[in-house]
Amino acid sequence: MSQTIEDICNKKGVKLTDQRKVIAKVLSESKEVYGESDHPDVDELYQRVSKLDSKISIATIYRTVKLFEESGILTKHDFKGGKARYETLVESHHDHLIDIKTGEIIEFVDEEIEKLQKRVAEKYGYKLVDHKLELYGIKKK
Amino acid sequence: MSQTIEDICNKKGVKLTDQRKVIAKVLSESKEVYGESDHPDVDELYQRVSKLDSKISIATIYRTVKLFEESGILTKHDFKGGKARYETLVESHHDHLIDIKTGEIIEFVDEEIEKLQKRVAEKYGYKLVDHKLELYGIKKK
DNA sequence: CTACGTGCAAACCGTTTGCGAGTCC
DNA sequence: GGACTCGCAAACGGTTTGCACGTAG
């Protein structure tokens, strides 16, 4: 049922080169290997990819990541700290709760907030096409 | 009642040099001159400042903007597009609705969303210390 | 004299790009 | 052959920083 990155590439006519296959593999393994809330930046991806094929350049990572983003495989996040971070797109949309101490990320969905956002946009005469909600918190002991 | 940027600097022990006074002036005039939803980036600030004193370097703008941010005078936003944009801190918190066509920014507050955010954080055992909500929309005709 | 602020230019860092070489059809 | 992809190194753009020179106390 769930389609692989390779499936999506085929469907969209994106050529699957060896390098892209390696990157796709790293991406699809991300969540399993590195935890559910894995949001690697390009540098991290580069390092993970390098273990499988040390010949792949960081420029290719950048190009592929952009390509995958345009194909709807990845989403890009500009969290605090300059570096863009990526995650594989899942069918269900979610927002992020970020631990300001550890950087740990928790994904969540809140239907009520979603609805309210739409309503706010409409109140100002806009059609909501996208949104970003980030909560920053400290873990209670 | 409302304190000026200079007041805040005095209170915090931030030395008010000539350059900083000019930058403070530009900032406090921002909303009046350029509209309520003025969120200039460093480059824009530099240009506005240059009109008053062309000797002030862009490095000083960067340093002052960072200083003011730390003093709670400005807030920094990392909207889409690489450049950081700033706005003078107002007592009432608000979020942003951004027109993806024109870049126009509408500020809004929604108490209900605020409350829900707090609740979500708590659900995961976190104390909410900050948040960012950006809505991206298209104007309806 | 000491501490700090500034202007300038160089460095920095994440990201993009031009180019020559390679690959697939 | 033509279109595309890659690795490399250079370029880019926003931001920071080292340094020499003020300037204030």
Side-chain angles (χ1 to χ4, degrees):
Chain A
M1 185 65 260
S2 78
Q3 43 188 355
T4 67
I5 294 180
E6 310 212 349
D7 290 340
I8 300 176
C9 285
N10 289 331
K11 198 171 291 179
K12 302 243 177 180
V14 171
K15 215 180 285 177
L16 263 171
T17 64
D18 290 348
Q19 291 91 332
R20 288 180 191 167
K21 273 184 208 155
V22 173
I23 298 171
K25 183 163 185 239
V26 166
L27 286 171
S28 28
E29 286 175 347
S30 277
K31 300 247 171 186
E32 294 143 39
V33 179
Y34 298 91
E36 285 195 5
S37 289
D38 187 45
H39 296 72
D41 58 34
V42 169
D43 237 61
E44 276 176 50
L45 286 177
Y46 180 48
Q47 290 179 42
R48 295 179 193 172
V49 165
S50 292
K51 285 180 192 154
L52 303 185
D53 182 347
S54 61
K55 294 289 182 54
I56 296 178
S57 79
I58 198 162
T60 297
I61 310 275
Y62 275 105
R63 285 192 266 237
T64 304
V65 148
K66 181 182 279 184
L67 184 70
F68 282 180
E69 196 198 352
E70 286 160 1
S71 306
I73 295 167
L74 289 179
T75 20
K76 180 181 181 181
H77 297 290
D78 292 301
F79 297 141
K80 204 86 183 175
K83 297 186 181 181
R85 297 170 63 175
Y86 293 85
E87 71 175 317
T88 58
L89 201 63
V90 282
E91 52 296 330
S92 72
H93 154 82
H94 60 256
D95 292 307
H96 298 96
L97 167 57
I98 299 142
D99 187 316
I100 57 172
K101 291 269 168 65
T102 67
E104 190 195 347
I105 294 174
I106 293 163
E107 300 175 349
F108 70 90
V109 202
D110 189 295
E111 282 308 330
E112 224 171 318
I113 292 182
E114 306 280 323
K115 268 183 221 147
L116 286 173
Q117 289 177 356
K118 206 176 237 175
R119 221 173 59 191
V120 167
E122 259 152 28
K123 186 168 126 193
Y124 292 97
Y126 281 81
K127 181 182 186 315
L128 189 63
V129 298
D130 194 13
H131 77 262
K132 176 198 280 192
L133 172 59
E134 291 159 22
L135 305 183
Y136 294 87
I138 301 178
K139 200 170 253 166
K140 290 182 179 176
K141 287 156 235 164
Chain B
M1 184 65 261
S2 80
Q3 41 187 357
T4 66
I5 294 180
E6 312 211 347
D7 291 339
I8 300 176
C9 286
N10 290 329
K11 199 170 290 177
K12 303 242 177 181
V14 172
K15 216 179 284 179
L16 263 169
T17 65
D18 290 348
Q19 293 89 330
R20 289 180 189 167
K21 271 184 208 156
V22 174
I23 297 171
K25 185 164 184 238
V26 165
L27 286 171
S28 27
E29 287 175 347
S30 277
K31 298 246 171 186
E32 294 142 37
V33 179
Y34 297 92
E36 286 194 4
S37 288
D38 186 45
H39 298 71
D41 57 36
V42 170
D43 237 61
E44 275 176 51
L45 286 177
Y46 180 49
Q47 291 180 41
R48 294 179 193 173
V49 165
S50 293
K51 285 182 192 155
L52 303 184
D53 183 347
S54 62
K55 294 289 180 54
I56 296 178
S57 78
I58 199 163
T60 298
I61 311 273
Y62 274 106
R63 285 193 267 236
T64 304
V65 146
K66 183 183 277 183
L67 184 70
F68 282 179
E69 195 198 351
E70 286 160 0
S71 305
I73 294 166
L74 290 179
T75 18
K76 180 182 183 181
H77 297 289
D78 293 302
F79 296 139
K80 203 88 184 170
K83 296 187 182 181
R85 297 171 65 175
Y86 293 85
E87 72 176 316
T88 58
L89 202 62
V90 283
E91 52 298 329
S92 74
H93 154 80
H94 60 256
D95 292 306
H96 297 96
L97 167 57
I98 299 140
D99 187 318
I100 57 172
K101 290 271 169 64
T102 67
E104 191 195 346
I105 294 173
I106 293 164
E107 299 174 350
F108 71 90
V109 202
D110 189 296
E111 283 308 329
E112 223 171 319
I113 292 182
E114 306 281 323
K115 266 182 225 148
L116 286 173
Q117 290 177 356
K118 205 177 238 173
R119 218 173 62 193
V120 168
E122 257 149 30
K123 186 168 126 193
Y124 291 97
Y126 281 81
K127 182 179 184 312
L128 189 63
V129 296
D130 192 13
H131 77 262
K132 175 198 279 192
L133 173 59
E134 290 159 23
L135 304 183
Y136 294 87
I138 301 178
K139 200 170 252 166
K140 291 181 179 177
K141 286 158 238 168

